[in-house]
PDB file of all heavy atoms in Angstrom:
ATOM      1  N   VAL F  81     103.854  17.922  11.697  1.00 96.00           N
ATOM      2  CA  VAL F  81     102.864  17.349  12.616  1.00 96.00           C
ATOM      3  C   VAL F  81     103.476  16.968  13.968  1.00 96.00           C
ATOM      4  O   VAL F  81     102.938  17.321  15.019  1.00 96.00           O
ATOM      5  CB  VAL F  81     102.173  16.136  11.952  1.00 96.00           C
ATOM      6  CG1 VAL F  81     101.249  15.436  12.915  1.00 96.00           C
ATOM      7  CG2 VAL F  81     101.428  16.583  10.705  1.00 96.00           C
ATOM      8  N   VAL F  82     104.591  16.265  13.957  1.00 96.00           N
ATOM      9  CA  VAL F  82     105.207  15.838  15.215  1.00 96.00           C
ATOM     10  C   VAL F  82     105.735  17.050  15.975  1.00 96.00           C
ATOM     11  O   VAL F  82     105.580  17.142  17.198  1.00 96.00           O
ATOM     12  CB  VAL F  82     106.320  14.801  14.957  1.00 96.00           C
ATOM     13  CG1 VAL F  82     107.060  14.461  16.244  1.00 96.00           C
ATOM     14  CG2 VAL F  82     105.731  13.538  14.339  1.00 96.00           C
ATOM     15  N   GLY F  83     106.329  17.999  15.277  1.00 96.00           N
ATOM     16  CA  GLY F  83     106.811  19.213  15.922  1.00 96.00           C
ATOM     17  C   GLY F  83     105.694  19.998  16.584  1.00 96.00           C
ATOM     18  O   GLY F  83     105.862  20.521  17.687  1.00 96.00           O
ATOM     19  N   LEU F  84     104.539  20.061  15.934  1.00 97.00           N
ATOM     20  CA  LEU F  84     103.389  20.754  16.516  1.00 97.00           C
ATOM     21  C   LEU F  84     102.931  20.051  17.788  1.00 97.00           C
ATOM     22  O   LEU F  84     102.604  20.702  18.788  1.00 97.00           O
ATOM     23  CB  LEU F  84     102.242  20.834  15.513  1.00 97.00           C
ATOM     24  CG  LEU F  84     102.474  21.763  14.327  1.00 97.00           C
ATOM     25  CD1 LEU F  84     101.457  21.494  13.235  1.00 97.00           C
ATOM     26  CD2 LEU F  84     102.424  23.209  14.768  1.00 97.00           C
ATOM     27  N   HIS F  85     102.907  18.726  17.760  1.00 97.00           N
ATOM     28  CA  HIS F  85     102.524  17.972  18.959  1.00 97.00           C
ATOM     29  C   HIS F  85     103.479  18.295  20.106  1.00 97.00           C
ATOM     30  O   HIS F  85     103.039  18.557  21.232  1.00 97.00           O
ATOM     31  CB  HIS F  85     102.519  16.469  18.660  1.00 97.00           C
ATOM     32  CG  HIS F  85     102.034  15.640  19.799  1.00 97.00           C
ATOM     33  ND1 HIS F  85     102.871  15.184  20.782  1.00 97.00           N
ATOM     34  CD2 HIS F  85     100.788  15.202  20.106  1.00 97.00           C
ATOM     35  CE1 HIS F  85     102.164  14.492  21.660  1.00 97.00           C
ATOM     36  NE2 HIS F  85     100.899  14.485  21.260  1.00 97.00           N
ATOM     37  N   CYS F  86     104.772  18.305  19.811  1.00 96.00           N
ATOM     38  CA  CYS F  86     105.770  18.621  20.844  1.00 96.00           C
ATOM     39  C   CYS F  86     105.589  20.035  21.392  1.00 96.00           C
ATOM     40  O   CYS F  86     105.719  20.256  22.596  1.00 96.00           O
ATOM     41  CB  CYS F  86     107.177  18.451  20.285  1.00 96.00           C
ATOM     42  SG  CYS F  86     107.643  16.751  19.974  1.00 96.00           S
ATOM     43  N   LEU F  87     105.314  20.981  20.512  1.00 96.00           N
ATOM     44  CA  LEU F  87     105.122  22.364  20.953  1.00 96.00           C
ATOM     45  C   LEU F  87     103.882  22.518  21.827  1.00 96.00           C
ATOM     46  O   LEU F  87     103.887  23.279  22.797  1.00 96.00           O
ATOM     47  CB  LEU F  87     105.012  23.296  19.745  1.00 96.00           C
ATOM     48  CG  LEU F  87     106.300  23.520  18.967  1.00 96.00           C
ATOM     49  CD1 LEU F  87     105.998  24.216  17.640  1.00 96.00           C
ATOM     50  CD2 LEU F  87     107.294  24.326  19.782  1.00 96.00           C
ATOM     51  N   LEU F  88     102.819  21.809  21.485  1.00 97.00           N
ATOM     52  CA  LEU F  88     101.587  21.914  22.272  1.00 97.00           C
ATOM     53  C   LEU F  88     101.665  21.141  23.584  1.00 97.00           C
ATOM     54  O   LEU F  88     100.976  21.487  24.547  1.00 97.00           O
ATOM     55  CB  LEU F  88     100.392  21.432  21.445  1.00 97.00           C
ATOM     56  CG  LEU F  88     100.000  22.339  20.285  1.00 97.00           C
ATOM     57  CD1 LEU F  88      98.953  21.667  19.408  1.00 97.00           C
ATOM     58  CD2 LEU F  88      99.497  23.681  20.797  1.00 97.00           C
ATOM     59  N   ASP F  89     102.482  20.112  23.642  1.00 97.00           N
ATOM     60  CA  ASP F  89     102.633  19.295  24.846  1.00 97.00           C
ATOM     61  C   ASP F  89     103.504  20.024  25.864  1.00 97.00           C
ATOM     62  O   ASP F  89     104.639  19.662  26.118  1.00 97.00           O
ATOM     63  CB  ASP F  89     103.234  17.933  24.476  1.00 97.00           C
ATOM     64  CG  ASP F  89     103.425  17.024  25.681  1.00 97.00           C
ATOM     65  OD1 ASP F  89     102.820  17.285  26.742  1.00 97.00           O
ATOM     66  OD2 ASP F  89     104.194  16.052  25.551  1.00 97.00           O
ATOM     67  N   ARG F  90     102.957  21.053  26.448  1.00 95.00           N
ATOM     68  CA  ARG F  90     103.720  21.889  27.378  1.00 95.00           C
ATOM     69  C   ARG F  90     104.073  21.160  28.669  1.00 95.00           C
ATOM     70  O   ARG F  90     105.043  21.494  29.326  1.00 95.00           O
ATOM     71  CB  ARG F  90     102.965  23.172  27.682  1.00 95.00           C
ATOM     72  CG  ARG F  90     102.840  24.047  26.438  1.00 95.00           C
ATOM     73  CD  ARG F  90     102.244  25.396  26.775  1.00 95.00           C
ATOM     74  NE  ARG F  90     102.287  26.237  25.609  1.00 95.00           N
ATOM     75  CZ  ARG F  90     103.204  27.175  25.402  1.00 95.00           C
ATOM     76  NH1 ARG F  90     104.131  27.391  26.295  1.00 95.00           N
ATOM     77  NH2 ARG F  90     103.170  27.910  24.317  1.00 95.00           N
ATOM     78  N   SER F  91     103.277  20.158  29.029  1.00 96.00           N
ATOM     79  CA  SER F  91     103.545  19.403  30.257  1.00 96.00           C
ATOM     80  C   SER F  91     104.625  18.351  30.051  1.00 96.00           C
ATOM     81  O   SER F  91     105.088  17.737  31.007  1.00 96.00           O
ATOM     82  CB  SER F  91     102.262  18.723  30.746  1.00 96.00           C
ATOM     83  OG  SER F  91     101.848  17.740  29.802  1.00 96.00           O
ATOM     84  N   ARG F  92     105.025  18.123  28.811  1.00 96.00           N
ATOM     85  CA  ARG F  92     106.026  17.118  28.441  1.00 96.00           C
ATOM     86  C   ARG F  92     105.615  15.717  28.904  1.00 96.00           C
ATOM     87  O   ARG F  92     106.442  14.895  29.282  1.00 96.00           O
ATOM     88  CB  ARG F  92     107.413  17.462  28.984  1.00 96.00           C
ATOM     89  CG  ARG F  92     107.940  18.780  28.466  1.00 96.00           C
ATOM     90  CD  ARG F  92     108.125  18.707  26.956  1.00 96.00           C
ATOM     91  NE  ARG F  92     108.591  19.977  26.423  1.00 96.00           N
ATOM     92  CZ  ARG F  92     107.908  20.686  25.533  1.00 96.00           C
ATOM     93  NH1 ARG F  92     106.758  20.270  25.081  1.00 96.00           N
ATOM     94  NH2 ARG F  92     108.379  21.817  25.072  1.00 96.00           N
ATOM     95  N   SER F  93     104.295  15.459  28.847  1.00 95.00           N
ATOM     96  CA  SER F  93     103.764  14.159  29.254  1.00 95.00           C
ATOM     97  C   SER F  93     103.744  13.166  28.097  1.00 95.00           C
ATOM     98  O   SER F  93     103.468  11.987  28.294  1.00 95.00           O
ATOM     99  CB  SER F  93     102.337  14.327  29.792  1.00 95.00           C
ATOM    100  OG  SER F  93     101.470  14.761  28.739  1.00 95.00           O
TER     101      SER F  93
END
Side-chain angles (χ1 to χ4, degrees):
V81 174
V82 174
L84 290 165
H85 185 272
C86 290
L87 289 168
L88 290 171
D89 180 17
R90 294 187 173 260
S91 65
R92 300 296 178 241
S93 65

